[in-house]
Amino acid sequence: MVKGKLLGFGALLLSFGVALGASVPKLTPQEMKRATQIYFDRCAGCHGMLRKGATGPALTPDVTRPLGLKTIENIITNGLPGGMPDWGRQGILSRKDIKLLAKFLMHEPPQPPLMTLSDMKKWWKVYIPPDERPTKPQHKHNWKNFMGVILRDVGKVAIIDGDTKKLVSIVDTGFAVHIFRSSGTGRYFLTIGRDGKATLIDLWLKKPDKVAEVKVCYDARSIDTSKYRGPKGDYMDKLAVVGCYWPPSFVILDGQTLEPIKIVDTSHYTWDTNDYVEEARVASIVASHHDPEWIITDKEAGKVMVVNYEDPTNLRMHLVDAERFLHDGGWDLSKRYFLVAANMRNKIIVIDSVKKKFVAEIETGVKPHPGRGANFVHPRFGPVWCTGHLGSNNVACIGTDPVNHSRYAWKLVANIELPGSGGGTLFIKTHPKSTHIWVDRPLSADPKLQRQLYVIDKDSLRVIKTINVIDELRKKGYRNIDGRIVHPEFDMYGKEVWVSVWGRKDKPTAIVVFDDRTMKIKKVITGDWVRTPTGIFNVYTTTNDIY
Ligand code: DHE
């Protein structure tokens, strides 16, 4: 399979005018250090630290050397269809950096360091100990409707009052925060950065701020918390877990202080070929509401770990064979089934968290990318879950009720075509109170489509509106705001949809609030602080896994 993938990539590169055969250019130690950092910041997420490939193809010297420097520089500058960003054209990497990176890719990848519990403890800081924290909110805001907004390239996050749309707080979180998740009660927001730094933000402080932080890996994408309250104990706000890309592992933390408790290595044998993968990274994590468990995906091995956190000293774990390469996913409406993208196989995988078993795989389109997906009850198909795609212009919906709608369960029940060609969708979202599903398309190759939002009617399963967000902003007098539109998120009431205008770091952009019913702009939140906003997370919906 991997070989097939490389051949496919090679053929694609040839069509870009590949010069085969090249010598290995020399790099000074300083250049090597800088190139390693650029690679880590921009490329490791998709191609892996060891460059063995995952969402992106392998970039080991056997692949890169035959391509030659010019071809590699060309790809880094202009991107490739199917998700490889045009780093040069976007102005994110300079010509000099692109040349350096191309040379670096001809060399053997440097071996990245590992991390021990004592390394982590050196990074661990508790700013306000649990017994000095307030016992009730110290402000009058409706904190359950707070919106957390990632200000990615400035290393901060913003907390905005969803009722008043006023900025409540800006918190320093560190390099390229990736996602927010909520604690079981919702009182704490947790963030994880690409640098493996986790932050615990107390929303009850007069001005919400971080009360603890720790770095548990060098490269990470996911975090979640213990959300189980039931006869086997109350774990609300007790534990957290970080999923690491490097070192490949998950790390269990104390939920009140972020003290690291346990590291679990996720290097595994692949589920199908039983080849050993050192860099088998943790992708998505979801917390069960009906058992003291986390569902943790192992991207490169194609396995799902169902981890019982009752007793971290004697950790119990079910290892479920799924598919490669696992990426993002979320619960179905009942929160029993976990649906996750195996994006390089164009499939969605379904895992039963009660039986802890693989249930089904469904082909949905080219590179499914659901975020957490969108759940609703369709009049004919019953409960369904939908996903968008990076590589094709469709939103696919799958029946998720094997009891009362068994005819449709784990089958593709709708394939909704988006206008224009190609994929580029990253996130889709809905709310039980809304009749709509909102879809973005920031990774389209077409700048016009990157700036669009689509609204799908839940009953007819058709796109009923295409919104050119930047044009709408211009009509309202916001002439200088530009960027890709990313991550629709509902407020707690299901009445508003918030999106980020993801622009360049040197210019402020905006967070745009739509009225879900009229699909018109209701409020534009802007200001000098609105820099590179990406993910937006509502406390209530994130805590309760409503999407
Ligand atoms: Fe994400 C979710 C990995 C690029 C914004 N992203 C996820 C998840 C994974 C992941 C594994 C699921 C986490 C979970 O649910 O526990 N993302 C990666 C990458 O490896 C990738 C492709 C490349 C990289 O180098 O990081 C990548 N992601 C991006 C972006 O460029 C985005 C748009 C902006 C950013 O942060 O840099 C981005 N990813 C997000 C967001 C979510 C996410 C907002 C959560 C969606 C949700 O609604 O839960």
Side-chain angles (χ1 to χ4, degrees), residues 40-46 55 150 152-153 176-181 194 220-224 245 281-286 297 299 326-329 369-372 426-429 442-443 486-489 502 534-537:
F40 168 73
D41 290 348
R42 303 292 173 193
C43 322
C46 293
T55 304
I150 291 166
R152 198 189 105 132
D153 294 345
V177 170
H178 191 227
I179 63 168
F180 278 91
R181 290 293 183 245
R194 277 194 174 67
R221 295 295 178 283
S222 48
I223 189 162
D224 217 328
Y245 268 14
R281 306 175 289 175
V282 172
S284 40
I285 304 179
V286 288
T297 56
K299 188 191 271 284
L326 299 174
H327 195 71
D328 50 348
H369 196 284
R372 285 166 287 169
L426 278 179
F427 303 110
I428 99 174
K429 209 59 68 78
L443 291 198
V486 70
H487 204 249
E489 176 81 347
W502 184 12
T534 54
I536 306 182
F537 298 82

Side-chain angles (χ1 to χ4, degrees), residues 307-318:
V307 178
N308 184 299
Y309 51 69
E310 277 173 298
D311 179 7
T313 311
N314 303 288
L315 206 64
R316 277 187 291 134
M317 179 157 90
H318 282 76

Side-chain angles (χ1 to χ4, degrees), residues 241-478:
V241 62
V242 171
C244 299
Y245 268 14
W246 191 270
S249 56
F250 64 84
V251 182
I252 301 177
L253 312 172
D254 181 289
Q256 292 283 324
T257 64
L258 298 189
E259 179 178 5
I261 298 171
K262 191 179 192 77
I263 310 172
V264 181
D265 182 10
T266 54
S267 301
H268 270 306
Y269 290 85
T270 54
W271 78 275
D272 45 358
T273 55
N274 285 278
D275 289 320
Y276 181 68
V277 189
E278 182 187 3
E279 193 176 4
R281 306 175 289 175
V282 172
S284 40
I285 304 179
V286 288
S288 169
H289 294 252
H290 54 75
D291 272 309
E293 284 175 350
W294 291 304
I295 317 292
I296 301 181
T297 56
D298 190 318
K299 188 191 271 284
E300 280 79 7
K303 295 186 181 185
V304 175
M305 297 166 276
V306 183
V307 178
N308 184 299
Y309 51 69
E310 277 173 298
D311 179 7
T313 311
N314 303 288
L315 206 64
R316 277 187 291 134
M317 179 157 90
H318 282 76
L319 205 54
V320 183
D321 285 353
E323 182 52 285
R324 289 188 272 161
F325 294 80
L326 299 174
H327 195 71
D328 50 348
W331 291 113
D332 77 311
L333 207 53
S334 74
K335 299 189 178 71
R336 169 174 180 164
Y337 300 99
F338 173 56
L339 293 100
V340 56
N343 55 17
M344 295 309 284
R345 301 285 185 270
N346 301 333
K347 284 176 185 164
I348 292 293
I349 307 300
V350 186
I351 304 293
D352 181 345
S353 70
V354 172
K355 291 192 175 159
K356 301 165 209 336
K357 282 194 168 153
F358 170 93
V359 176
E361 53 181 16
I362 305 109
E363 220 167 302
T364 57
V366 184
K367 289 198 191 168
H369 196 284
R372 285 166 287 169
N375 284 297
F376 61 97
V377 182
H378 185 266
R380 181 157 151 228
F381 307 123
V384 299
W385 177 95
C386 309
T387 179
H389 295 83
L390 277 171
S392 51
N393 62 337
N394 64 314
V395 168
C397 301
I398 296 165
T400 60
D401 176 9
V403 179
N404 298 313
H405 297 82
S406 55
R407 264 179 75 191
Y408 304 114
W410 320 129
K411 298 206 172 74
L412 200 63
V413 294
N415 213 355
I416 306 154
E417 197 179 317
L418 301 179
S421 59
T425 292
L426 278 179
F427 303 110
I428 99 174
K429 209 59 68 78
T430 191
H431 188 288
K433 295 268 167 60
S434 166
T435 56
H436 298 147
I437 305 165
W438 290 66
V439 183
D440 69 10
R441 213 170 183 179
L443 291 198
S444 165
D446 179 343
K448 187 172 172 209
L449 305 190
Q450 292 164 1
R451 284 154 177 78
Q452 288 183 339
L453 274 175
Y454 309 94
V455 184
I456 295 172
D457 174 69
K458 282 180 181 172
D459 282 0
S460 67
L461 300 174
R462 292 224 173 100
V463 175
I464 52 164
K465 187 150 177 124
T466 297
I467 306 169
N468 289 297
V469 181
I470 300 300
D471 292 351
E472 294 302 314
L473 286 172
R474 300 248 186 293
K475 283 185 210 156
K476 287 193 166 287
Y478 295 96

Side-chain angles (χ1 to χ4, degrees), residues 57-89:
L59 296 175
T60 38
D62 56 317
V63 179
T64 52
R65 284 181 195 169
L67 300 177
L69 278 176
K70 283 279 164 268
T71 303
I72 299 177
E73 284 171 21
N74 185 8
I75 294 168
I76 303 171
T77 307
N78 299 307
L80 282 175
M84 167 74 192
D86 46 351
W87 297 115
R89 275 204 315 214

